[in-house]
Amino acid sequence: MPSPQPAGALQVADIRTLAIVGPAAAGKTCLAEALLLASGAITTAGSLERGSMVSDFDPLERRMQHSLHAAVMHCHWQGSRVHFIDTPGAADFVGHSLPALEAVETAAVVVSAVNGIEPAAVRMMQQAAERGLDRMIIVNKIDAQGVDLAALLAQIQASFGKECLPVNLPVGAGDGTVKVVDCFYQRSGDSDFGPVEAAHRALVEQVVEVDSAFVERYLEDGDIDASELHAPLEQALREGHLIPVCFVSARTGAGVNELLDVIHKLLPHPGEGNPPAFLNGEGEAAVPLQAQPDPAAHVLAHVFKVTVDPYVGKMGILRVHQGTLTQGMQLYVGDGRKPFKVAHLYLLQGKNTVEVPRALPGDICAIAKVDELHFDAVLHDAAEDDHIHLAPLPFPVPVHGLAISPKRRGDEQRLWEILAKLVDEDVCLKVTHVAGTNETVVYGLGDLHLRVLLERLREVHRFEVETQPPRIAYRETATAPAEGHHRHKKQSGGAGQFGEVKLRVDPLPRGGGFEFVDAVKGGVIPGVYIPAVEKGVREVLASGAISGHPVVDVKVTVLDGKHHSVDSKEIAFVTAGRKAMLAAMREARPIVLEPIVDLEITAPDRAMGDITGDLASRRAQVAGTQGGLAGLMVVKAQAPLSELTGYQSRLNALTSGEGRYTLALSHYEAVPAQVQSQLTTAWQAHDED
């Protein structure tokens, strides 16, 4: 691998950073490989089929033949050091693609000339705009037969705005001899889109609009040399007034050198892009802070990715926003009081590392074997910077659950340790212990997301697990007042057991919890035994009275009872309290409650009829729909959680894999009578066994 350009010769103005984002199968990984090859960073192009590409180095990625993680690479071109991050396109792995936007000045959205605008491209354009990033669109696969690039450009402008203008143009697309010509600096020649002159003028007019002085010059002179437009160009990019469109074929290399020229000449360096949204302080007291891309300032660096290898250990991948990182310096992690020493500093080339003595503002580098590093950590070299952090990213909520347990008993602690490492690497994985069902549940963004997690457990960590769909956290409650009574009497030769309890159950409003009241008069149940009665009642609260699910929203009042001076014991009143509670609950018109969730579905508008019809079959209530960009619609509804098991698979079938959903718990309400009958019958059969 060629050695990196010496850091000492590099200036901040020589650094470019971009995230290569967009839908799966758009050719992002092949494009990253082509950039490395054209720049001389590698001498031979890898192959997706052979699993030899720099970006997809993970064994699972090679076997599945698509990206699962963000991969960081770099190259040098015309004196610039270009850092780029190849991101996965599948929606299940957005937890790896979104953080890449925190590390760059430019989001390069790749669009397949064959597939056109896809929902993932729309989402990433929106996310990049919300983060204030410069945006560019790279149209890949321009050598494919039958592509209509003029129609695709019109579709791009219809979806993202007229500010999407080509800065280079294809010639001979679709006939096997395609090449790309510049139209920003060049005025003459022809292209598949017509005369280069027309595209050049459209670009110049768009750029000069941001600066009145240039507008006057343009109107007076009729043209301006593009080499003079650097400042207004960067302003137009920052403001989203210009979104450059480039054409490439990663497969043949057509347009790749021209794309590197665009990156070097037109895209911003760290001092020209919009600064990231740092905050100083916590909560409402936090105030905006702008990092300065000054190599002499205090260090501020942000960890946007963490990898945990069983053999190498933890590695934090970070973007330097301010100051200069050097080997041997001491850094703090967030508000941690104990600094760590930077033993080694690396640039990344996929899985390979290149050790460097320093990193400047704009550089993307890595620090290994520091356990304190974690996703979203801010590293700094001054104790007074301990409350600086970045505004949080809007990650989708993981809702696709899988109950997981070790195959070998006694391995529960090791399972949690391994899952913690996997969650460190992927912010869109969540692991929780559900007390109501006593299950460990892993939540992800879809079937593929969780399938990859299971593969990692098995292949990387050599850990075997058993899985099943998570149980629904039903609840029971009372709907009418009722009394229960039980006398527990047991004689077994010696001292016996005796306890008698009479109590009343009253329903509380939904969300009222549990109340326990001692209304016993005259000491018929001595005060020392009242806690035992409550313990028996709480046993029913935990295990259920009619369906085996926890009881909620009830008030229990102990009314009366009896005791025996010799035979009464705590265990007797626990038993009497439990059975009196069961008797009262069964007379209190008990119902089973089910969780109702707020559901938000984003999908192509063509599928709206099928989606709403399917929701109706799942006992859902649609609250409304609203339009989005590029033919997307958002459906808001409420539905029983029990009806959404495996819903992503169904949504995939209805939307050709383009639909996504999020959900959040709204409230509990009574299940239909038929469902309650099924639950109680199943529990009684289990209880009898």
Side-chain angles (χ1 to χ4, degrees), residues 399-465:
V399 296
H400 200 89
L402 191 66
I404 188 169
S405 58
K407 275 193 174 180
R408 291 195 317 175
R409 293 186 62 183
D411 276 354
E412 288 79 9
Q413 181 61 35
R414 182 164 175 250
L415 173 62
W416 272 89
E417 290 172 355
I418 296 173
L419 290 176
K421 294 178 181 178
L422 295 173
V423 169
D424 275 349
E425 294 183 302
D426 189 341
V427 71
C428 285
L429 282 173
K430 184 177 74 172
V431 182
T432 185
H433 179 76
V434 182
T437 58
N438 193 31
E439 291 178 314
T440 296
V441 180
V442 181
Y443 292 96
L445 299 180
D447 288 325
L448 178 60
H449 199 191
L450 294 181
R451 192 162 75 242
V452 168
L453 176 135
L454 296 178
E455 291 286 337
R456 292 206 175 285
L457 279 170
R458 181 165 47 250
E459 294 190 8
V460 178
H461 298 279
R462 308 298 181 190
F463 194 89
E464 296 291 333
V465 296

Side-chain angles (χ1 to χ4, degrees), residues 334-353:
D335 58 2
R337 299 302 180 195
K338 183 180 179 181
F340 71 90
K341 183 178 180 181
V342 180
H344 302 280
L345 195 60
Y346 303 102
L347 297 184
L348 295 177
Q349 202 71 289
K351 69 176 179 180
N352 297 315
T353 58

Side-chain angles (χ1 to χ4, degrees), residues 174-302:
D175 65 4
T177 61
V178 63
K179 63 178 183 177
V180 170
V181 296
D182 167 70
C183 62
F184 184 72
Y185 295 101
Q186 182 175 312
R187 299 178 178 86
S188 60
D190 291 311
S191 74
D192 292 350
F193 288 25
V196 170
E197 169 74 14
H200 171 78
R201 284 196 171 275
L203 273 171
V204 172
E205 289 173 2
Q206 187 75 7
V207 170
V208 299
E209 282 182 359
V210 302
D211 190 313
S212 58
F214 278 100
V215 171
E216 291 180 12
R217 279 188 55 192
Y218 182 73
L219 292 175
E220 290 176 3
D221 301 341
D223 200 3
I224 297 177
D225 189 335
S227 62
E228 299 181 52
L229 294 177
H230 183 81
L233 170 67
E234 296 307 328
Q235 181 181 344
L237 293 174
R238 282 194 302 274
E239 296 175 357
H241 192 69
L242 173 64
I243 300 175
V245 179
C246 297
F247 295 88
V248 302
S249 167
R251 185 181 68 86
T252 65
V256 174
N257 283 36
E258 290 78 5
L259 176 59
L260 284 165
D261 282 339
V262 169
I263 293 170
H264 164 65
K265 295 177 181 178
L266 304 185
L267 295 190
H269 61 68
E272 293 174 326
N274 289 322
F278 277 104
L279 298 171
N280 192 359
E282 305 297 333
E284 294 182 358
V287 296
L289 181 144
Q290 183 172 326
Q292 302 296 328
D294 179 359
H298 284 180
V299 169
L300 283 180
H302 175 247

Side-chain angles (χ1 to χ4, degrees), residues 60 313 318 476:
L60 274 178
L318 52 102
E476 300 175 14

Side-chain angles (χ1 to χ4, degrees), residues 54-389:
V54 173
S55 180
D56 286 356
F57 55 83
D58 183 283
L60 274 178
E61 291 176 314
R62 291 175 173 175
R63 192 169 78 237
M64 302 177 79
Q65 294 201 357
H66 60 75
S67 300
L68 305 176
H69 297 280
V72 179
M73 290 156 281
H74 68 280
C75 67
H76 294 94
W77 185 258
Q78 305 295 330
S80 290
R81 176 146 74 200
V82 181
H83 297 276
F84 50 97
I85 307 172
D86 176 30
T87 64
D92 283 17
F93 303 104
V94 70
H96 293 281
S97 55
L98 277 184
L101 300 181
E102 299 277 49
V104 299
E105 268 71 54
T106 304
V109 180
V110 180
V111 172
S112 166
V114 177
N115 299 332
I117 305 296
E118 299 177 75
V122 177
R123 286 194 293 268
M124 296 312 295
M125 285 289 282
Q126 287 177 315
Q127 292 290 345
E130 290 171 6
R131 302 306 285 182
L133 296 180
D134 291 18
R135 289 166 289 161
M136 70 180 303
I137 295 172
I138 301 174
V139 178
N140 190 20
K141 304 184 181 181
I142 61 173
D143 58 326
Q145 291 293 322
V147 296
D148 187 343
L149 297 182
L152 177 57
L153 180 61
Q155 184 187 17
I156 289 171
Q157 292 176 337
S159 299
F160 305 125
K162 294 295 185 181
E163 58 269 24
C164 298
L165 294 175
V167 293
N168 55 39
L169 295 168
V171 179
D175 65 4
T177 61
V178 63
K179 63 178 183 177
V180 170
V181 296
D182 167 70
C183 62
F184 184 72
Y185 295 101
Q186 182 175 312
R187 299 178 178 86
S188 60
D190 291 311
S191 74
D192 292 350
F193 288 25
V196 170
E197 169 74 14
H200 171 78
R201 284 196 171 275
L203 273 171
V204 172
E205 289 173 2
Q206 187 75 7
V207 170
V208 299
E209 282 182 359
V210 302
D211 190 313
S212 58
F214 278 100
V215 171
E216 291 180 12
R217 279 188 55 192
Y218 182 73
L219 292 175
E220 290 176 3
D221 301 341
D223 200 3
I224 297 177
D225 189 335
S227 62
E228 299 181 52
L229 294 177
H230 183 81
L233 170 67
E234 296 307 328
Q235 181 181 344
L237 293 174
R238 282 194 302 274
E239 296 175 357
H241 192 69
L242 173 64
I243 300 175
V245 179
C246 297
F247 295 88
V248 302
S249 167
R251 185 181 68 86
T252 65
V256 174
N257 283 36
E258 290 78 5
L259 176 59
L260 284 165
D261 282 339
V262 169
I263 293 170
H264 164 65
K265 295 177 181 178
L266 304 185
L267 295 190
H269 61 68
E272 293 174 326
N274 289 322
F278 277 104
L279 298 171
N280 192 359
E282 305 297 333
E284 294 182 358
V287 296
L289 181 144
Q290 183 172 326
Q292 302 296 328
D294 179 359
H298 284 180
V299 169
L300 283 180
H302 175 247
V303 179
F304 68 93
K305 177 178 170 64
V306 170
T307 64
V308 184
D309 187 278
Y311 307 105
V312 177
K314 180 179 284 189
M315 176 180 285
I317 302 171
L318 52 102
R319 156 70 188 261
V320 182
H321 289 282
Q322 178 177 293
T324 302
L325 274 184
T326 59
Q327 287 188 6
M329 77 182 310
Q330 289 193 330
L331 292 177
Y332 297 89
V333 181
D335 58 2
R337 299 302 180 195
K338 183 180 179 181
F340 71 90
K341 183 178 180 181
V342 180
H344 302 280
L345 195 60
Y346 303 102
L347 297 184
L348 295 177
Q349 202 71 289
K351 69 176 179 180
N352 297 315
T353 58
V354 180
E355 190 161 358
V356 291
R358 65 182 60 85
L360 298 173
D363 274 328
I364 297 173
C365 55
I367 297 173
K369 298 181 179 179
V370 179
D371 290 338
E372 292 81 8
L373 293 180
H374 58 86
F375 172 77
D376 219 23
V378 170
L379 309 184
H380 55 94
D381 61 351
E384 61 266 26
D385 293 337
D386 59 352
H387 290 293
I388 295 176
H389 57 96

